[in-house]
Amino acid sequence: MSPTQRSWSTLWKSRIEQWLLDAIPGEAVDGPLARYYRARQLLALLNLMPLISLGNAVNTVVICRVFWNELPHVWLLIWGVTVSLAMPVGLLWWRQLVTHGHRPVAVPGAGKLVVGHVITFGALWSVMPVIVFPQADHAQALLIATVVVGMICSGAFMLGPMVPAAWAFVATLGVGSVIGLLNSGYATSGSLMVLLLVYTTIMGAVVFANGRTFMSRLRADSETDRQKQLIDLLLRDFEEHASDWLWEISPSGHLRHVSARLAESFGLTQRQLQQQPFLDLLAALSPAHDADGEQALARLTTCIRMGQPFRDLELPVAVGTDVHWWSLSAKPLHDDRGRAAGWRGVGSDITQTRLAREELARLANQDALTGLANRHRFSTELGRLGPGQDAAHRPCALLFIDLDNFKNINDTFGHGMGDQLLRKVGARLKSCVLDGDLLARLGGDEFALLTWRHADEADAAALADRVLTLLSEPYQLDDLRLESRTSIGVALAPRDGGDPQSLLQCADLALYAAKAAGRNTFRFFDASMAETARSRVRLQQELGHALAAEQFTLYFQPQVHLGSGEVIGFEALVRWQHSERGLIGPGEFIPVAEETGQIVSLGNWVLREACRVAATQWPDHLRVAVNLSAVQFRSADLIELVDEALTHTGLAPERLELEITESALIEDHDGAQATLMALRSRGVRVAMDDFGTGYSSLAYLRRFPLDKLKIDGMFVRSLDSDTDAQAVVTAIISLARALHLDTTAEGIETQEQMVMLRALGCDDIQGYLIARPMPALDVAAYLTRSQGGQGEGTLPHGLAPSRSGVTAR
């Protein structure tokens, strides 16, 4: 045999083996499932056995009746009974070959026993073609041929699930038929022989095809079962170890395959869950009077009825005494014809996730300190006033509320006390808020109230006045009793602004106006405020240019000793020589410089320039007084700046007097004391400016090293008309004398005021009665005039006030 022939032989051999393995179960291919497949083959045959027995009985009766007179009766009866009983006996015997447990299994050797039984049965029927067929007449021979061919065909189809048995039956009857033809005297027996062999071969091939199809279906079903078991195992493990649970409903809407986890989630038994439709179960668990729950259940019902898949649908359910939140996802099922076959989905308890999400939302929209709405929530609500929003055309009022002295309280008594105060303020403001209004803390000591119930000016004014009264009442914070004042800016929509940004700007400008009006009051926005704000912005921009262009100049106002009438020095007052507006007073640009931080560079220039003028143009006995802002006083570079100015100009330290306000001392006790000690150690004098308008604390007067108290002009101008002002001035002078401090009265304008101050024991005076502030070049002439007309105990002549009621600066 050539190599090519051997390869073809091997190929065909392997293919035939593979075909046989596909059609016949075996341990080598199917392993432990081989006996299960054999049992399924036997069960398939047993299902057909009643029909086979009926056909067998009919054939037996017909044969016996036709040949009753042709064959011995005993022999025919024995053959007929044997053939007829073969099927019932086989039915009983084959049932014993299958054991039933978790799944049916064939006993060992069952296939061989069935093949042997089939061969025996086929041999019984082969008696007819082998013995009777050669002796029969034409009609009888035709009957036998018909029955045998029918038996071959029907046996091949009915025994098809078990290929070896079918082949054995077909082969047995085929061999018997061949023998009968060989013994017969038909002239056409050769042709019939060929046809018989062809039909037998064809039936064998049909048997193989049917057996192969049957085994393929068995193996496919087994693989499907295996995958299903694996999926069930994974799903059970998933449900046991995960928080989710699976659910499936039938076309009628009832749950099927209810797991323990699902029953536990519903708080019901598995039987109870299967008695009611799924939607009815959820409706029964839905919390009463819960709008979110009703809306979610309605959406779920719509999706299921419309066959629409859904994902992460959240709904509340009442399980026992607790309300849980579930998240459901599902998609519809369809059968092979595309008809609805129910729903399958997954559910999970998201109660903790929902609570965490709600807590995050609360924190994102609520101020942690006061419990009020925060800036984010306020901005979101205010955004509804914009064009195209629901609240765009609803009139409303916006109140900006700001505590006037919170920073001082916070710095003096600590942040803990400040937080307590803010909580108290928030609680009081809540009592003014009606349902539907929004109260928010914007940050620090700033609050905002957006109200639709007080939308007109009269109602808003009444509300603002009520807030001022409520917040002005004392606060009890631990063992401390504090008072706080409030400023309020009010803007009305749509009168003042039709969009959120405009309304915010208007309320902010109104708040600024309330603070400028003396604080502890409220102001409505008007158009002039916007113009003032624009002017301030221009002023801020021009202020920086003025510093670079050296547009500032100093004016000097004399200070006179009240007892001797001698000029003891001058206070340096800054003026702005604007290129377009002319001379601008400090009252207009100093507040702007303080807000922008430009006050530091401006104050440094004033200090250096004042020292230069005094050192180069004045007699050595005259002092120069320079105002320091609170920001400049707290600067770490102040001492270095003073040293530099004195060294650079050559001014004696004792000729420099620095004036500071009470707020500069209150905000940083330790730092202020260290700065004052450093200044005093250099010989620089320090005066307390505007004394009597702030805290006027005796404690810091004793603690801080000062040289002078300057009585504010507000008291001096009312000295001859207000007994309270007289009492305040008297107290200040007495206090200064007790502490060995000098006193200077500012803003003196009348002879009567001067006489009263001399009687009270004031040391120095300053104001329009003495002289207006003058440029540096006019100081020398002023000193000459004052010395020429001065006698002992008199004041400079010719300097009567030009008008009454004007401030000294």
Side-chain angles (χ1 to χ4, degrees), residues 6 157 161 234 333 352 362 373-374 393 418 523 545 548 556 593 597 605 608 644 646 658 688 713 739 746:
R6 281 197 298 271
F157 281 104
L234 293 175
L333 302 176
Q352 296 303 321
R362 185 189 67 81
N374 60 9
H393 303 292
R523 287 289 184 272
H545 174 71
F556 297 92
W605 178 85
R608 289 193 296 267
E644 179 185 348
L646 293 176
L658 299 178
M688 174 67 69
L739 296 175
E746 299 180 287

Side-chain angles (χ1 to χ4, degrees), residues 371-392:
L372 305 177
N374 60 9
R375 181 180 290 274
H376 176 266
R377 168 76 190 288
F378 175 78
S379 300
T380 302
E381 189 69 23
L382 195 65
R384 295 177 54 204
L385 301 179
Q389 301 296 319
D390 297 338

Side-chain angles (χ1 to χ4, degrees), residues 321-335:
T321 58
D322 300 326
V323 175
H324 294 256
W325 278 89
W326 289 353
S327 175
L328 300 179
S329 300
K331 62 180 180 179
L333 302 176
H334 300 89
D335 59 16

